[in-house]
Amino acid sequence: MANAYTGSTDWHEGEQRMHSLMHTDLHMENPTSPCLTPGGGKFLQTAPLVAIGTHDLEGRLWTTLWGGEPGFSRSLGSSIIGIKTLVDKQYDPVVEALLGHQLDGEVAETVGTGRSLSGLAIDLATRRRLKFAGHVVAGALGLLGPQTSGVDGKLGEAQIVIKVDSSLGNCPKYLNKKDIIASLPSPELIPSTFPLPSKALELLHKADLFFLTSSDERSHMSTNHRGGSPGFVRVMANGDDGVTLAYPEYSGNRFYQTLGNLQMSSNAGLVFPNFDNGDVLYITAATEIMVGKEAGAVIPRSNLVVKVLVHEARFVQSGLSFRGLSGEPSPYNPSVRRLAAEGGTAISQGKEISSVNAKLLKREGLTPTIARFRFGISDPIAAGRWTDGQYVALSFENELSVGYSHMRDDDPRSLNDDYTRTFTISSPPGGAELPDDEFEITIRNVGVITDFMFRQNVRAGLKVPLKGFGGEFVIEQQAGKITPVVAGGIGITPLLGQASRLDINRLHLFWTINIQDIGLVLGTFQRIPELALSTSLFVSDAGVHETASQQAALTTIEATCLRVAKRRISAKDLQVDLNLSDRWYICVGIALKMSLLQWLSGKEVVYEDFSY
């Protein structure tokens, strides 16, 4: 779940190039906010880590990773961020670029717009992250207390004030959980040009996460993460002549903000942290984006690959002010893909519950494009138990992946597809409606995976790997208050999985649909009859394109529903409930979400983020 405000930001030229190259929707909205959102400001105070990227005096990009415990970064209001943290002032290239080496503690106010930078606040324990970009307003590098006297003056206390120009909350894909604890660094630079020293190579081979900063060299800078199973970054070359890395770009939100920047400028700054011992590898490099067959020729079974040609690297032992205790790996992680030169054979991610399958047991059509699918779990103990409101991650790679030798330039939508999808579970856990080893999803036919599912013959016994459960969208009812929920179409599914534990009499559902989806409403009310008495239904296109069966369904619903309006929802429809609750839950598309956030100004808005 996420709390945010979405403004209007255009895609820049490089992002448009990527959208065109990948044949994605050229008209989709850019959800980046032109400010620090209230939800983003709140999250900053809880994030134990912030990755920061900027240019050095030579125009090269670098990235670092600061923090160790929550509270070192915070919103100061009016899209201003303050950061105060322990840093390696001797070898950290970003400290050097932003603050220099002078430990006088004097605050230097920036003249003009200030040095541009970008950042990523991240909490690996919850897999939440927030991108932001802006410029430095003021900064200082000061001395520390006597507790650091044993590190020969290599540490300092950095203070930076940042004016945020854009921010965006990101999805939790490919983030392996870690609990972050603070630790006093004792930085030691390992002198090396090329090749990289053995300990740096060990870090790369075990890395399951790195941070990357890119820029279009105009006005857009971005810092983001790339993650996967340990070893997802491959070393193509490490010799006297230079170092080249490569990694696959996994299926994401298709915004292509990082790759869009790299389309405009190939320069990038990377940082690889070792969460076990605090070692860190800083890299400034040029990049090369490879698509389709070109990508598969480097890393088989990959549709999109980035090569990293290292210009300079710094390997610092114990340079980080934190350690990380490894937790649950991301259920999204594909198997590691080796270089073609290594044999190109995928290897297991280790902790993946690859032995657990979900078998299709039943399909129930609700509309021509919406259906319920019931699955049985082959090993419920190994799979673990989900909680209400969570999603299930299913892999269709074995059924649909054509592999490297069958990549087709005429099917670009298959590029960068790992064939793993997440679906909100629409049945409650714990055997309330189904046996303990079964679950149900309610989905719309919108893409290659769902189309495959809709075409399945249930008797064929389709089995797909179940990769895990996740998500944190929980509807919490406040004592003595109405709980308002706004759902758009299929966005009703998070509520369906939680309805059995909610007091429906204290819930007010505002459900907006198209008449074509009226069967979903009828099927829902047949399952949960009491929900109809708590629902205000808004039906668009009623009386315009409806069939006789849809008209009959609408008539049935009108006899039981609290309210039915044959139009779109509007701000005035929410007025009565505005005084009854300070917290609203919404599960809608981007356009309606933007309107709702304006209508619900001053309220706490919690929404299910389907970007992943």
Side-chain angles (χ1 to χ4, degrees), residues 1-3 387-390 424 470-478 483-485 494-495 497-498 501-502 583-587 604 606-609:
M1 66 183 175
N3 295 5
T387 58
D388 52 7
Q390 287 196 308
T424 301
E472 299 175 353
F473 185 76
V474 178
I475 299 174
E476 299 174 340
Q477 292 185 296
Q478 298 172 297
T483 303
V485 178
L495 173 60
Q498 303 181 61
R501 68 164 177 81
L502 297 174
R583 181 185 299 159
W584 289 65
Y585 294 87
I586 65 175
C587 303
E604 179 185 0
V606 182
Y607 70 89
E608 173 71 298
D609 187 347

PDB file of all heavy atoms in Angstrom, residues 1-3 387-390 424 470-478 483-485 494-495 497-498 501-502 583-587 604 606-609:
ATOM      1  N   MET A   1       0.835  -1.181   0.000  1.00  0.00           N
ATOM      2  CA  MET A   1       0.000   0.000   0.000  1.00  0.00           C
ATOM      3  C   MET A   1       0.876   1.238   0.000  1.00  0.00           C
ATOM      4  O   MET A   1       2.052   1.184   0.315  1.00  0.00           O
ATOM      5  CB  MET A   1      -0.947   0.017   1.198  1.00  0.00           C
ATOM      6  CG  MET A   1      -0.278   0.155   2.537  1.00  0.00           C
ATOM      7  SD  MET A   1      -1.500   0.076   3.878  1.00  0.00           S
ATOM      8  CE  MET A   1      -0.396   0.107   5.271  1.00  0.00           C
ATOM      9  N   ALA A   2       0.314   2.373  -0.353  1.00  0.00           N
ATOM     10  CA  ALA A   2       1.108   3.584  -0.453  1.00  0.00           C
ATOM     11  C   ALA A   2       0.232   4.788  -0.220  1.00  0.00           C
ATOM     12  O   ALA A   2      -0.957   4.770  -0.460  1.00  0.00           O
ATOM     13  CB  ALA A   2       1.772   3.661  -1.835  1.00  0.00           C
ATOM     14  N   ASN A   3       0.869   5.844   0.272  1.00  0.00           N
ATOM     15  CA  ASN A   3       0.197   7.129   0.421  1.00  0.00           C
ATOM     16  C   ASN A   3       0.939   8.112  -0.476  1.00  0.00           C
ATOM     17  O   ASN A   3       2.147   8.239  -0.390  1.00  0.00           O
ATOM     18  CB  ASN A   3       0.284   7.645   1.858  1.00  0.00           C
ATOM     19  CG  ASN A   3      -0.450   6.750   2.816  1.00  0.00           C
ATOM     20  OD1 ASN A   3      -0.941   5.696   2.431  1.00  0.00           O
ATOM     21  ND2 ASN A   3      -0.531   7.152   4.051  1.00  0.00           N
ATOM     22  N   THR A 387      -1.980 -13.859   4.003  1.00  0.00           N
ATOM     23  CA  THR A 387      -2.937 -13.128   4.825  1.00  0.00           C
ATOM     24  C   THR A 387      -3.901 -12.395   3.909  1.00  0.00           C
ATOM     25  O   THR A 387      -3.602 -12.152   2.735  1.00  0.00           O
ATOM     26  CB  THR A 387      -2.235 -12.131   5.753  1.00  0.00           C
ATOM     27  OG1 THR A 387      -1.458 -11.208   4.963  1.00  0.00           O
ATOM     28  CG2 THR A 387      -1.311 -12.853   6.716  1.00  0.00           C
ATOM     29  N   ASP A 388      -5.063 -12.028   4.461  1.00  0.00           N
ATOM     30  CA  ASP A 388      -6.076 -11.401   3.605  1.00  0.00           C
ATOM     31  C   ASP A 388      -5.570 -10.070   3.055  1.00  0.00           C
ATOM     32  O   ASP A 388      -4.912  -9.300   3.731  1.00  0.00           O
ATOM     33  CB  ASP A 388      -7.407 -11.226   4.343  1.00  0.00           C
ATOM     34  CG  ASP A 388      -7.264 -10.532   5.683  1.00  0.00           C
ATOM     35  OD1 ASP A 388      -6.160 -10.069   5.992  1.00  0.00           O
ATOM     36  OD2 ASP A 388      -8.262 -10.446   6.420  1.00  0.00           O
ATOM     37  N   GLY A 389      -5.879  -9.852   1.786  1.00  0.00           N
ATOM     38  CA  GLY A 389      -5.424  -8.644   1.100  1.00  0.00           C
ATOM     39  C   GLY A 389      -4.129  -8.811   0.346  1.00  0.00           C
ATOM     40  O   GLY A 389      -3.701  -7.894  -0.363  1.00  0.00           O
ATOM     41  N   GLN A 390      -3.480  -9.986   0.472  1.00  0.00           N
ATOM     42  CA  GLN A 390      -2.198 -10.185  -0.196  1.00  0.00           C
ATOM     43  C   GLN A 390      -2.378 -10.681  -1.632  1.00  0.00           C
ATOM     44  O   GLN A 390      -3.473 -11.065  -2.046  1.00  0.00           O
ATOM     45  CB  GLN A 390      -1.337 -11.166   0.587  1.00  0.00           C
ATOM     46  CG  GLN A 390      -0.765 -10.598   1.878  1.00  0.00           C
ATOM     47  CD  GLN A 390       0.377 -11.434   2.416  1.00  0.00           C
ATOM     48  OE1 GLN A 390       0.254 -12.651   2.574  1.00  0.00           O
ATOM     49  NE2 GLN A 390       1.498 -10.799   2.690  1.00  0.00           N
ATOM     50  N   THR A 424      -4.070 -10.333  -6.941  1.00  0.00           N
ATOM     51  CA  THR A 424      -4.653 -10.217  -5.611  1.00  0.00           C
ATOM     52  C   THR A 424      -5.553 -11.424  -5.339  1.00  0.00           C
ATOM     53  O   THR A 424      -6.395 -11.780  -6.171  1.00  0.00           O
ATOM     54  CB  THR A 424      -5.474  -8.929  -5.492  1.00  0.00           C
ATOM     55  OG1 THR A 424      -4.626  -7.810  -5.758  1.00  0.00           O
ATOM     56  CG2 THR A 424      -6.060  -8.782  -4.094  1.00  0.00           C
ATOM     57  N   GLY A 470       2.651 -11.969  -1.085  1.00  0.00           N
ATOM     58  CA  GLY A 470       3.167 -10.692  -0.599  1.00  0.00           C
ATOM     59  C   GLY A 470       2.092  -9.625  -0.614  1.00  0.00           C
ATOM     60  O   GLY A 470       0.936  -9.863  -0.949  1.00  0.00           O
ATOM     61  N   GLY A 471       2.513  -8.400  -0.292  1.00  0.00           N
ATOM     62  CA  GLY A 471       1.583  -7.278  -0.274  1.00  0.00           C
ATOM     63  C   GLY A 471       1.182  -6.885   1.129  1.00  0.00           C
ATOM     64  O   GLY A 471       1.215  -7.705   2.052  1.00  0.00           O
ATOM     65  N   GLU A 472       0.806  -5.611   1.292  1.00  0.00           N
ATOM     66  CA  GLU A 472       0.498  -5.092   2.622  1.00  0.00           C
ATOM     67  C   GLU A 472      -0.781  -4.266   2.633  1.00  0.00           C
ATOM     68  O   GLU A 472      -0.980  -3.444   3.516  1.00  0.00           O
ATOM     69  CB  GLU A 472       1.654  -4.219   3.126  1.00  0.00           C
ATOM     70  CG  GLU A 472       2.978  -4.966   3.248  1.00  0.00           C
ATOM     71  CD  GLU A 472       4.113  -4.033   3.621  1.00  0.00           C
ATOM     72  OE1 GLU A 472       3.900  -2.805   3.644  1.00  0.00           O
ATOM     73  OE2 GLU A 472       5.210  -4.535   3.892  1.00  0.00           O
ATOM     74  N   PHE A 473      -1.658  -4.448   1.664  1.00  0.00           N
ATOM     75  CA  PHE A 473      -2.875  -3.630   1.626  1.00  0.00           C
ATOM     76  C   PHE A 473      -3.905  -4.220   2.584  1.00  0.00           C
ATOM     77  O   PHE A 473      -4.576  -5.204   2.264  1.00  0.00           O
ATOM     78  CB  PHE A 473      -3.425  -3.565   0.201  1.00  0.00           C
ATOM     79  CG  PHE A 473      -4.612  -2.639   0.074  1.00  0.00           C
ATOM     80  CD1 PHE A 473      -4.430  -1.272   0.059  1.00  0.00           C
ATOM     81  CD2 PHE A 473      -5.893  -3.143  -0.018  1.00  0.00           C
ATOM     82  CE1 PHE A 473      -5.521  -0.410  -0.063  1.00  0.00           C
ATOM     83  CE2 PHE A 473      -6.984  -2.297  -0.138  1.00  0.00           C
ATOM     84  CZ  PHE A 473      -6.793  -0.929  -0.158  1.00  0.00           C
ATOM     85  N   VAL A 474      -4.011  -3.618   3.759  1.00  0.00           N
ATOM     86  CA  VAL A 474      -4.903  -4.123   4.800  1.00  0.00           C
ATOM     87  C   VAL A 474      -5.909  -3.029   5.150  1.00  0.00           C
ATOM     88  O   VAL A 474      -5.532  -1.904   5.495  1.00  0.00           O
ATOM     89  CB  VAL A 474      -4.123  -4.528   6.065  1.00  0.00           C
ATOM     90  CG1 VAL A 474      -5.084  -5.011   7.149  1.00  0.00           C
ATOM     91  CG2 VAL A 474      -3.101  -5.610   5.729  1.00  0.00           C
ATOM     92  N   ILE A 475      -7.180  -3.346   5.038  1.00  0.00           N
ATOM     93  CA  ILE A 475      -8.237  -2.413   5.419  1.00  0.00           C
ATOM     94  C   ILE A 475      -8.467  -2.539   6.920  1.00  0.00           C
ATOM     95  O   ILE A 475      -8.840  -3.608   7.413  1.00  0.00           O
ATOM     96  CB  ILE A 475      -9.540  -2.701   4.645  1.00  0.00           C
ATOM     97  CG1 ILE A 475      -9.299  -2.538   3.136  1.00  0.00           C
ATOM     98  CG2 ILE A 475     -10.659  -1.781   5.105  1.00  0.00           C
ATOM     99  CD1 ILE A 475     -10.484  -2.939   2.276  1.00  0.00           C
ATOM    100  N   GLU A 476      -8.208  -1.459   7.649  1.00  0.00           N
ATOM    101  CA  GLU A 476      -8.358  -1.446   9.097  1.00  0.00           C
ATOM    102  C   GLU A 476      -9.520  -0.537   9.471  1.00  0.00           C
ATOM    103  O   GLU A 476      -9.550   0.633   9.079  1.00  0.00           O
ATOM    104  CB  GLU A 476      -7.066  -0.969   9.765  1.00  0.00           C
ATOM    105  CG  GLU A 476      -5.862  -1.878   9.472  1.00  0.00           C
ATOM    106  CD  GLU A 476      -4.567  -1.324  10.024  1.00  0.00           C
ATOM    107  OE1 GLU A 476      -4.525  -0.103  10.283  1.00  0.00           O
ATOM    108  OE2 GLU A 476      -3.614  -2.092  10.202  1.00  0.00           O
ATOM    109  N   GLN A 477     -10.437  -1.066  10.235  1.00  0.00           N
ATOM    110  CA  GLN A 477     -11.609  -0.301  10.642  1.00  0.00           C
ATOM    111  C   GLN A 477     -11.364   0.357  11.991  1.00  0.00           C
ATOM    112  O   GLN A 477     -10.933  -0.292  12.944  1.00  0.00           O
ATOM    113  CB  GLN A 477     -12.843  -1.206  10.700  1.00  0.00           C
ATOM    114  CG  GLN A 477     -13.273  -1.701   9.324  1.00  0.00           C
ATOM    115  CD  GLN A 477     -14.564  -2.488   9.355  1.00  0.00           C
ATOM    116  OE1 GLN A 477     -14.631  -3.548   9.954  1.00  0.00           O
ATOM    117  NE2 GLN A 477     -15.602  -1.955   8.705  1.00  0.00           N
ATOM    118  N   GLN A 478     -11.649   1.663  12.055  1.00  0.00           N
ATOM    119  CA  GLN A 478     -11.496   2.421  13.282  1.00  0.00           C
ATOM    120  C   GLN A 478     -12.769   2.308  14.114  1.00  0.00           C
ATOM    121  O   GLN A 478     -13.878   2.359  13.578  1.00  0.00           O
ATOM    122  CB  GLN A 478     -11.194   3.884  12.961  1.00  0.00           C
ATOM    123  CG  GLN A 478      -9.882   4.068  12.198  1.00  0.00           C
ATOM    124  CD  GLN A 478      -9.675   5.491  11.720  1.00  0.00           C
ATOM    125  OE1 GLN A 478     -10.447   6.000  10.913  1.00  0.00           O
ATOM    126  NE2 GLN A 478      -8.643   6.136  12.224  1.00  0.00           N
ATOM    127  N   THR A 483     -15.939   3.053   7.501  1.00  0.00           N
ATOM    128  CA  THR A 483     -14.729   2.851   6.701  1.00  0.00           C
ATOM    129  C   THR A 483     -15.078   2.990   5.227  1.00  0.00           C
ATOM    130  O   THR A 483     -15.716   2.100   4.653  1.00  0.00           O
ATOM    131  CB  THR A 483     -14.129   1.457   6.956  1.00  0.00           C
ATOM    132  OG1 THR A 483     -13.860   1.307   8.343  1.00  0.00           O
ATOM    133  CG2 THR A 483     -12.841   1.272   6.154  1.00  0.00           C
ATOM    134  N   PRO A 484     -14.708   4.102   4.579  1.00  0.00           N
ATOM    135  CA  PRO A 484     -15.018   4.279   3.160  1.00  0.00           C
ATOM    136  C   PRO A 484     -13.964   3.626   2.260  1.00  0.00           C
ATOM    137  O   PRO A 484     -12.769   3.769   2.484  1.00  0.00           O
ATOM    138  CB  PRO A 484     -15.028   5.796   2.978  1.00  0.00           C
ATOM    139  CG  PRO A 484     -14.242   6.352   4.113  1.00  0.00           C
ATOM    140  CD  PRO A 484     -14.131   5.313   5.176  1.00  0.00           C
ATOM    141  N   VAL A 485     -14.440   2.915   1.250  1.00  0.00           N
ATOM    142  CA  VAL A 485     -13.573   2.262   0.265  1.00  0.00           C
ATOM    143  C   VAL A 485     -14.066   2.657  -1.119  1.00  0.00           C
ATOM    144  O   VAL A 485     -15.261   2.542  -1.411  1.00  0.00           O
ATOM    145  CB  VAL A 485     -13.606   0.728   0.411  1.00  0.00           C
ATOM    146  CG1 VAL A 485     -12.733   0.073  -0.660  1.00  0.00           C
ATOM    147  CG2 VAL A 485     -13.156   0.301   1.801  1.00  0.00           C
ATOM    148  N   PRO A 494      -9.072  -6.499  -3.740  1.00  0.00           N
ATOM    149  CA  PRO A 494      -8.467  -6.482  -2.399  1.00  0.00           C
ATOM    150  C   PRO A 494      -9.508  -6.517  -1.283  1.00  0.00           C
ATOM    151  O   PRO A 494      -9.251  -7.085  -0.214  1.00  0.00           O
ATOM    152  CB  PRO A 494      -7.677  -5.164  -2.384  1.00  0.00           C
ATOM    153  CG  PRO A 494      -7.398  -4.872  -3.819  1.00  0.00           C
ATOM    154  CD  PRO A 494      -8.611  -5.349  -4.552  1.00  0.00           C
ATOM    155  N   LEU A 495     -10.677  -5.917  -1.524  1.00  0.00           N
ATOM    156  CA  LEU A 495     -11.741  -5.953  -0.520  1.00  0.00           C
ATOM    157  C   LEU A 495     -12.342  -7.355  -0.398  1.00  0.00           C
ATOM    158  O   LEU A 495     -12.686  -7.794   0.704  1.00  0.00           O
ATOM    159  CB  LEU A 495     -12.831  -4.939  -0.880  1.00  0.00           C
ATOM    160  CG  LEU A 495     -14.104  -4.952  -0.021  1.00  0.00           C
ATOM    161  CD1 LEU A 495     -13.774  -4.660   1.440  1.00  0.00           C
ATOM    162  CD2 LEU A 495     -15.126  -3.953  -0.556  1.00  0.00           C
ATOM    163  N   GLY A 497     -11.039 -10.297  -0.574  1.00  0.00           N
ATOM    164  CA  GLY A 497     -10.269 -11.207   0.264  1.00  0.00           C
ATOM    165  C   GLY A 497     -10.307 -10.855   1.740  1.00  0.00           C
ATOM    166  O   GLY A 497      -9.896 -11.653   2.585  1.00  0.00           O
ATOM    167  N   GLN A 498     -10.805  -9.657   2.070  1.00  0.00           N
ATOM    168  CA  GLN A 498     -10.831  -9.202   3.461  1.00  0.00           C
ATOM    169  C   GLN A 498     -12.241  -9.071   4.024  1.00  0.00           C
ATOM    170  O   GLN A 498     -12.423  -8.835   5.221  1.00  0.00           O
ATOM    171  CB  GLN A 498     -10.124  -7.840   3.576  1.00  0.00           C
ATOM    172  CG  GLN A 498      -8.693  -7.866   3.062  1.00  0.00           C
ATOM    173  CD  GLN A 498      -7.998  -6.524   3.194  1.00  0.00           C
ATOM    174  OE1 GLN A 498      -7.828  -6.007   4.286  1.00  0.00           O
ATOM    175  NE2 GLN A 498      -7.597  -5.945   2.065  1.00  0.00           N
ATOM    176  N   ARG A 501     -13.640 -10.719   7.438  1.00  0.00           N
ATOM    177  CA  ARG A 501     -13.247 -10.269   8.771  1.00  0.00           C
ATOM    178  C   ARG A 501     -13.692  -8.837   9.073  1.00  0.00           C
ATOM    179  O   ARG A 501     -13.473  -8.331  10.170  1.00  0.00           O
ATOM    180  CB  ARG A 501     -11.732 -10.364   8.955  1.00  0.00           C
ATOM    181  CG  ARG A 501     -10.932  -9.393   8.106  1.00  0.00           C
ATOM    182  CD  ARG A 501      -9.496  -9.243   8.603  1.00  0.00           C
ATOM    183  NE  ARG A 501      -8.743  -8.367   7.723  1.00  0.00           N
ATOM    184  CZ  ARG A 501      -8.796  -7.046   7.776  1.00  0.00           C
ATOM    185  NH1 ARG A 501      -9.571  -6.450   8.667  1.00  0.00           N
ATOM    186  NH2 ARG A 501      -8.078  -6.311   6.931  1.00  0.00           N
ATOM    187  N   LEU A 502     -14.308  -8.170   8.095  1.00  0.00           N
ATOM    188  CA  LEU A 502     -14.726  -6.780   8.281  1.00  0.00           C
ATOM    189  C   LEU A 502     -16.175  -6.716   8.761  1.00  0.00           C
ATOM    190  O   LEU A 502     -16.988  -7.590   8.459  1.00  0.00           O
ATOM    191  CB  LEU A 502     -14.575  -6.001   6.970  1.00  0.00           C
ATOM    192  CG  LEU A 502     -13.157  -5.851   6.412  1.00  0.00           C
ATOM    193  CD1 LEU A 502     -13.205  -5.191   5.031  1.00  0.00           C
ATOM    194  CD2 LEU A 502     -12.278  -5.050   7.360  1.00  0.00           C
ATOM    195  N   ARG A 583      -9.812   8.425   7.213  1.00  0.00           N
ATOM    196  CA  ARG A 583      -8.993   7.488   6.435  1.00  0.00           C
ATOM    197  C   ARG A 583      -9.852   6.851   5.343  1.00  0.00           C
ATOM    198  O   ARG A 583     -10.900   6.279   5.607  1.00  0.00           O
ATOM    199  CB  ARG A 583      -8.409   6.397   7.326  1.00  0.00           C
ATOM    200  CG  ARG A 583      -7.515   5.404   6.557  1.00  0.00           C
ATOM    201  CD  ARG A 583      -7.077   4.277   7.466  1.00  0.00           C
ATOM    202  NE  ARG A 583      -6.309   4.755   8.596  1.00  0.00           N
ATOM    203  CZ  ARG A 583      -6.148   4.086   9.732  1.00  0.00           C
ATOM    204  NH1 ARG A 583      -6.724   2.904   9.881  1.00  0.00           N
ATOM    205  NH2 ARG A 583      -5.432   4.584  10.708  1.00  0.00           N
ATOM    206  N   TRP A 584      -9.362   6.945   4.105  1.00  0.00           N
ATOM    207  CA  TRP A 584     -10.062   6.388   2.949  1.00  0.00           C
ATOM    208  C   TRP A 584      -9.157   5.379   2.252  1.00  0.00           C
ATOM    209  O   TRP A 584      -7.945   5.599   2.115  1.00  0.00           O
ATOM    210  CB  TRP A 584     -10.439   7.504   1.966  1.00  0.00           C
ATOM    211  CG  TRP A 584     -11.540   8.397   2.456  1.00  0.00           C
ATOM    212  CD1 TRP A 584     -11.510   9.234   3.529  1.00  0.00           C
ATOM    213  CD2 TRP A 584     -12.841   8.531   1.884  1.00  0.00           C
ATOM    214  NE1 TRP A 584     -12.707   9.883   3.670  1.00  0.00           N
ATOM    215  CE2 TRP A 584     -13.544   9.472   2.662  1.00  0.00           C
ATOM    216  CE3 TRP A 584     -13.479   7.952   0.791  1.00  0.00           C
ATOM    217  CZ2 TRP A 584     -14.852   9.850   2.384  1.00  0.00           C
ATOM    218  CZ3 TRP A 584     -14.778   8.319   0.504  1.00  0.00           C
ATOM    219  CH2 TRP A 584     -15.461   9.252   1.294  1.00  0.00           C
ATOM    220  N   TYR A 585      -9.764   4.297   1.773  1.00  0.00           N
ATOM    221  CA  TYR A 585      -9.050   3.271   1.021  1.00  0.00           C
ATOM    222  C   TYR A 585      -9.516   3.322  -0.430  1.00  0.00           C
ATOM    223  O   TYR A 585     -10.727   3.341  -0.695  1.00  0.00           O
ATOM    224  CB  TYR A 585      -9.331   1.887   1.605  1.00  0.00           C
ATOM    225  CG  TYR A 585      -8.784   1.705   3.004  1.00  0.00           C
ATOM    226  CD1 TYR A 585      -9.544   2.074   4.113  1.00  0.00           C
ATOM    227  CD2 TYR A 585      -7.518   1.183   3.218  1.00  0.00           C
ATOM    228  CE1 TYR A 585      -9.053   1.910   5.403  1.00  0.00           C
ATOM    229  CE2 TYR A 585      -7.014   1.015   4.499  1.00  0.00           C
ATOM    230  CZ  TYR A 585      -7.780   1.383   5.593  1.00  0.00           C
ATOM    231  OH  TYR A 585      -7.284   1.228   6.861  1.00  0.00           O
ATOM    232  N   ILE A 586      -8.560   3.365  -1.358  1.00  0.00           N
ATOM    233  CA  ILE A 586      -8.933   3.439  -2.767  1.00  0.00           C
ATOM    234  C   ILE A 586      -8.159   2.402  -3.576  1.00  0.00           C
ATOM    235  O   ILE A 586      -6.982   2.148  -3.333  1.00  0.00           O
ATOM    236  CB  ILE A 586      -8.728   4.848  -3.362  1.00  0.00           C
ATOM    237  CG1 ILE A 586      -7.252   5.240  -3.384  1.00  0.00           C
ATOM    238  CG2 ILE A 586      -9.525   5.887  -2.581  1.00  0.00           C
ATOM    239  CD1 ILE A 586      -7.005   6.574  -4.085  1.00  0.00           C
ATOM    240  N   CYS A 587      -8.841   1.792  -4.531  1.00  0.00           N
ATOM    241  CA  CYS A 587      -8.249   0.822  -5.463  1.00  0.00           C
ATOM    242  C   CYS A 587      -8.773   1.160  -6.850  1.00  0.00           C
ATOM    243  O   CYS A 587      -9.774   0.587  -7.311  1.00  0.00           O
ATOM    244  CB  CYS A 587      -8.627  -0.602  -5.086  1.00  0.00           C
ATOM    245  SG  CYS A 587      -8.178  -1.080  -3.418  1.00  0.00           S
ATOM    246  N   GLU A 604      -6.389  11.091   5.075  1.00  0.00           N
ATOM    247  CA  GLU A 604      -5.391  10.051   4.865  1.00  0.00           C
ATOM    248  C   GLU A 604      -5.932   9.098   3.801  1.00  0.00           C
ATOM    249  O   GLU A 604      -6.990   8.497   3.983  1.00  0.00           O
ATOM    250  CB  GLU A 604      -5.119   9.289   6.156  1.00  0.00           C
ATOM    251  CG  GLU A 604      -4.086   8.172   5.979  1.00  0.00           C
ATOM    252  CD  GLU A 604      -3.902   7.328   7.226  1.00  0.00           C
ATOM    253  OE1 GLU A 604      -4.575   7.613   8.241  1.00  0.00           O
ATOM    254  OE2 GLU A 604      -3.106   6.371   7.169  1.00  0.00           O
ATOM    255  N   VAL A 606      -5.185   5.758   1.588  1.00  0.00           N
ATOM    256  CA  VAL A 606      -4.395   4.539   1.469  1.00  0.00           C
ATOM    257  C   VAL A 606      -4.857   3.824   0.209  1.00  0.00           C
ATOM    258  O   VAL A 606      -6.053   3.593   0.024  1.00  0.00           O
ATOM    259  CB  VAL A 606      -4.589   3.622   2.688  1.00  0.00           C
ATOM    260  CG1 VAL A 606      -3.715   2.381   2.566  1.00  0.00           C
ATOM    261  CG2 VAL A 606      -4.268   4.378   3.973  1.00  0.00           C
ATOM    262  N   TYR A 607      -3.916   3.502  -0.662  1.00  0.00           N
ATOM    263  CA  TYR A 607      -4.343   2.867  -1.911  1.00  0.00           C
ATOM    264  C   TYR A 607      -3.487   1.669  -2.247  1.00  0.00           C
ATOM    265  O   TYR A 607      -2.333   1.570  -1.854  1.00  0.00           O
ATOM    266  CB  TYR A 607      -4.326   3.863  -3.072  1.00  0.00           C
ATOM    267  CG  TYR A 607      -2.958   4.313  -3.525  1.00  0.00           C
ATOM    268  CD1 TYR A 607      -2.262   3.613  -4.505  1.00  0.00           C
ATOM    269  CD2 TYR A 607      -2.374   5.458  -2.994  1.00  0.00           C
ATOM    270  CE1 TYR A 607      -1.023   4.022  -4.927  1.00  0.00           C
ATOM    271  CE2 TYR A 607      -1.129   5.882  -3.414  1.00  0.00           C
ATOM    272  CZ  TYR A 607      -0.459   5.158  -4.378  1.00  0.00           C
ATOM    273  OH  TYR A 607       0.779   5.566  -4.779  1.00  0.00           O
ATOM    274  N   GLU A 608      -4.090   0.737  -2.941  1.00  0.00           N
ATOM    275  CA  GLU A 608      -3.382  -0.428  -3.454  1.00  0.00           C
ATOM    276  C   GLU A 608      -2.669  -0.012  -4.716  1.00  0.00           C
ATOM    277  O   GLU A 608      -3.269   0.531  -5.646  1.00  0.00           O
ATOM    278  CB  GLU A 608      -4.377  -1.559  -3.747  1.00  0.00           C
ATOM    279  CG  GLU A 608      -3.770  -2.772  -4.439  1.00  0.00           C
ATOM    280  CD  GLU A 608      -2.856  -3.582  -3.527  1.00  0.00           C
ATOM    281  OE1 GLU A 608      -1.851  -3.012  -3.075  1.00  0.00           O
ATOM    282  OE2 GLU A 608      -3.137  -4.756  -3.285  1.00  0.00           O
ATOM    283  N   ASP A 609      -1.341  -0.209  -4.731  1.00  0.00           N
ATOM    284  CA  ASP A 609      -0.531   0.172  -5.883  1.00  0.00           C
ATOM    285  C   ASP A 609      -0.338  -1.048  -6.771  1.00  0.00           C
ATOM    286  O   ASP A 609       0.317  -2.006  -6.397  1.00  0.00           O
ATOM    287  CB  ASP A 609       0.825   0.697  -5.399  1.00  0.00           C
ATOM    288  CG  ASP A 609       1.657   1.280  -6.515  1.00  0.00           C
ATOM    289  OD1 ASP A 609       1.295   1.067  -7.686  1.00  0.00           O
ATOM    290  OD2 ASP A 609       2.661   1.938  -6.220  1.00  0.00           O
TER     291      ASP A 609
END
